[in-house]
Amino acid sequence: MSWNLEVIEKSLVNEFIGRPLYYYPEIGSTNDEAFRLGIAGAPEGTVVIADSQTKGKGRLQRLWHSPPGSNIYTSILFRPNFAPDQAPRISIAAGVAVAEILSQYCPGLVQLKWPNDVLLNNKKLCGILAQIKTSANSIDFVVLGIGINVNIDYNQLPCEIQSIATSLAIETGREIGRMELIISLYENIAKWYKELMQSGFDTIKGKWLNFAPMISQNVQVMFRDELVRGKALGLDDDGSLIISTVNNGTVKVSAGDATIIKES
Ligand code: BT5
């Protein structure tokens, strides 16, 4: 089913996400476009949706496979009034919002992997990429990019990610309405962002931990060429992962790729 902006606009009841909303049949990256709009002064809540991306971005120059006609690629602009080091709270809140909505399609099977992956049956269903623009010691804006594999088939996934990626359609065996999904997603993100702004991080952190099997497990986190191993204890107030290591005591990791170490 193709996108219908008018329906999305009319269906949104929250006060700010999707006002305004920009749609592109094809774009380089919705994050790049939202970033450009942020610099041009676009208001909080501005949304970019694309049917396909030619340069969909992951972290660390990685690519996000973004073919047309099947998935969700969207970016939302936020202008939060907290310090830059608290910005990762927005990705964590978004992870909770996304996991809750995707759980409606596959109850009990959706998990969060620190920092930004949403997994279904241990395969990646969604990636979240937050990018921040700061000046002096304050946040100008945060662009929150979300890519969800909705209806893509196994055969449409590039070979190199077939064993690590999945989609809602692959797991449920049916086609899922992208419009309905994106509308409920924006509403839920608006709800959790409001919670973050008005009541702080505690409830969000608790919800996130409920979706995260990694906590209490032995994990390793790789960031560029640095490796940290230990037991994942929880999330800190800035969204970092707290790890108890053998040699260095308790450490906080703010970026990297985390995996649970399988005991043999
Ligand atoms: C992420 O990066 O998971 C963040 C992805 C964010 C994508 C959205 S789409 C809308 C917005 N606009 C953008 O340009 N980006 C955002 P990372 O953790 O670095 O994971 C990237 C890795 O995931 C790749 O190296 C592949 O291994 C894998 N991958 C690539 N495409 C995928 C896909 N469609 N589904 C599952 N895994 C994928």
Side-chain angles (χ1 to χ4, degrees):
M1 204 229 246
S2 53
W3 294 109
N4 183 330
L5 278 215
E6 231 178 280
V7 172
I8 298 178
E9 275 163 346
K10 281 197 184 129
S11 307
L12 289 171
V13 294
N14 83 86
E15 301 119 41
F16 75 106
I17 293 187
R19 302 173 208 290
L21 195 153
Y22 298 93
Y23 170 74
Y24 299 87
E26 184 183 280
I27 199 169
S29 152
T30 57
N31 262 36
D32 286 352
E33 179 60 9
F35 210 91
R36 195 190 64 73
L37 289 165
I39 288 171
E44 171 155 274
T46 298
V47 156
V48 179
I49 303 177
D51 189 53
S52 68
Q53 301 183 114
T54 53
K55 288 186 188 139
K57 301 202 300 198
R59 293 171 300 151
L60 303 168
Q61 325 291 329
R62 294 175 190 146
L63 287 177
W64 187 255
H65 180 58
S66 311
S70 53
N71 298 329
I72 287 176
Y73 317 110
T74 188
S75 300
I76 308 166
L77 188 74
F78 293 98
R79 295 188 182 275
N81 58 357
F82 44 60
D85 63 349
Q86 306 292 309
R89 290 177 169 200
I90 293 183
S91 306
I92 298 287
V96 169
V98 173
E100 279 186 342
I101 295 302
L102 298 179
S103 290
Q104 293 174 356
Y105 297 86
C106 300
L109 299 177
V110 174
Q111 297 180 329
L112 289 169
K113 180 161 88 83
W114 186 89
N116 68 345
D117 287 356
V118 186
L119 307 181
L120 181 51
N121 287 333
N122 273 324
K123 293 182 172 184
K124 191 153 166 168
L125 177 64
C126 162
I128 297 171
L129 177 67
Q131 294 182 278
I132 181 171
K133 165 98 174 48
T134 56
S135 49
N137 195 30
S138 66
I139 297 177
D140 283 345
F141 58 81
V142 175
V143 168
L144 180 80
I146 302 171
I148 306 176
N149 296 329
V150 184
N151 290 315
I152 190 167
D153 283 343
Y154 179 80
N155 292 330
Q156 292 173 292
L157 291 168
C159 296
E160 65 275 15
I161 62 169
Q162 277 180 344
S163 62
I164 56 161
T166 194
S167 73
L168 281 178
I170 293 171
E171 301 296 331
T172 61
R174 66 185 174 96
E175 191 171 316
I176 306 290
R178 285 188 290 176
M179 297 266 290
E180 189 189 305
L181 201 169
I182 210 166
I183 290 162
S184 49
L185 183 65
Y186 291 146
E187 295 299 334
N188 210 31
I189 292 173
K191 180 189 114 182
W192 283 112
Y193 183 65
K194 204 168 161 191
E195 162 80 23
L196 180 62
M197 291 299 123
Q198 291 178 353
S199 313
F201 194 45
D202 284 353
T203 310
I204 292 164
K205 195 160 74 169
K207 283 266 173 193
W208 192 93
L209 293 171
N210 285 340
F211 278 109
M214 173 169 279
I215 302 307
S216 306
Q217 304 283 319
N218 285 323
V219 299
Q220 63 177 38
V221 181
M222 187 84 198
F223 184 62
R224 300 190 198 274
D225 49 10
E226 229 184 284
L227 183 71
V228 178
R229 273 172 177 261
K231 187 173 177 183
L233 299 182
L235 277 189
D236 201 14
D237 280 346
D238 60 2
S240 311
L241 187 65
I242 305 170
I243 300 180
S244 159
T245 65
V246 176
N247 298 326
N248 297 317
T250 302
V251 298
K252 276 174 45 171
V253 187
S254 58
D257 290 297
T259 38
I260 294 177
I261 302 169
K262 298 254 170 358
E263 311 295 343
S264 49

